[in-house]
Amino acid sequence: LAVPLVAGPAPSPAPSPLNRTLREPLPWLSIGIPTVPRPQDLDYLTGTLQAIVDQVLEHGYGHKVLIYVINNSRDRPHAVFAAAEAQFRGHQFLRFVVNPGHLKDDKKTVAHHLNKRNAQVPTAQVRRQTLDLVHMLDVLAGTAQHVLFYEDDFALCDK
């Protein structure tokens, strides 16, 4: 049983990722990296970004790859995200995006299913993560020929 999620107003279209003209092809790959703060500000994100940036630069893919780091913490501080944004500033292929939380959970439908004692209703945390994924899809739509979802705690192999 799928519990429907209700989206808020659609975000306005983003400007062209690299201020391209209509005649220029899309980059080959957009990488979406969602992130949330970890306990004690444990930092996996910096190592993950450094590994990707090193590979992009080493192989000359800066014009073929876009990396979107998406902060899903909403109203909670995310010191590691802020530090990474400052550290990696200047790389044209990196974008740091804050999820505004404009997608809303359909709590009336959830309450209806809970009242019927439906054990298949996802928890609030699972529904929030689903909405965060939908937001990332909105951000990445139309930015490249291919899209890769990537965890913020999984560094690329250096070979």
Side-chain angles (χ1 to χ4, degrees), residues 50-52 54-56 58-59 61 150 155-159:
Q50 190 64 62
I52 296 172
D54 289 348
Q55 292 286 326
V56 167
E58 178 182 341
H59 297 288
Y61 292 152
Y150 202 81
L156 287 174
C157 178
D158 63 355
K159 303 260 179 203

Side-chain angles (χ1 to χ4, degrees), residues 1-156:
L1 171 72
V3 176
L5 301 171
V6 176
S12 59
S16 174
L18 295 174
N19 296 322
R20 296 181 323 272
T21 66
L22 293 177
R23 294 182 188 162
E24 294 179 57
L26 287 171
W28 183 73
L29 178 67
S30 280
I31 302 173
I33 306 174
T35 183
V36 294
R38 299 290 204 289
Q40 290 82 44
D41 287 328
L42 189 58
D43 184 4
Y44 294 113
L45 179 62
T46 301
T48 298
L49 283 177
Q50 190 64 62
I52 296 172
V53 167
D54 289 348
Q55 292 286 326
V56 167
L57 294 175
E58 178 182 341
H59 297 288
Y61 292 152
H63 64 290
K64 294 181 180 183
V65 175
L66 293 171
I67 303 166
Y68 290 83
V69 183
I70 302 171
N71 178 355
N72 288 324
S73 66
R74 280 168 283 300
D75 57 352
R76 295 178 297 154
H78 192 342
V80 171
F81 176 87
E85 185 175 21
Q87 177 179 341
F88 292 99
R89 184 175 291 128
H91 291 292
Q92 183 180 356
F93 53 86
L94 270 169
R95 307 285 188 274
F96 288 83
V97 178
V98 175
N99 181 346
H102 68 274
L103 300 176
K104 303 299 179 198
D105 193 345
D106 183 4
K107 293 178 182 165
K108 288 182 183 178
T109 301
V110 171
H112 169 76
H113 287 287
L114 287 175
N115 287 337
K116 291 188 171 222
R117 304 214 186 274
N118 185 337
Q120 300 298 316
V121 177
T123 65
Q125 181 177 357
V126 169
R127 294 190 314 271
R128 180 76 258 154
Q129 290 170 338
T130 302
L131 292 171
D132 290 344
L133 179 62
V134 170
H135 174 260
M136 186 165 65
L137 287 167
D138 285 346
V139 169
L140 297 176
T143 62
Q145 297 172 43
H146 305 280
V147 171
L148 171 67
F149 297 161
Y150 202 81
E151 293 291 332
D152 67 346
D153 59 355
F154 190 78
L156 287 174

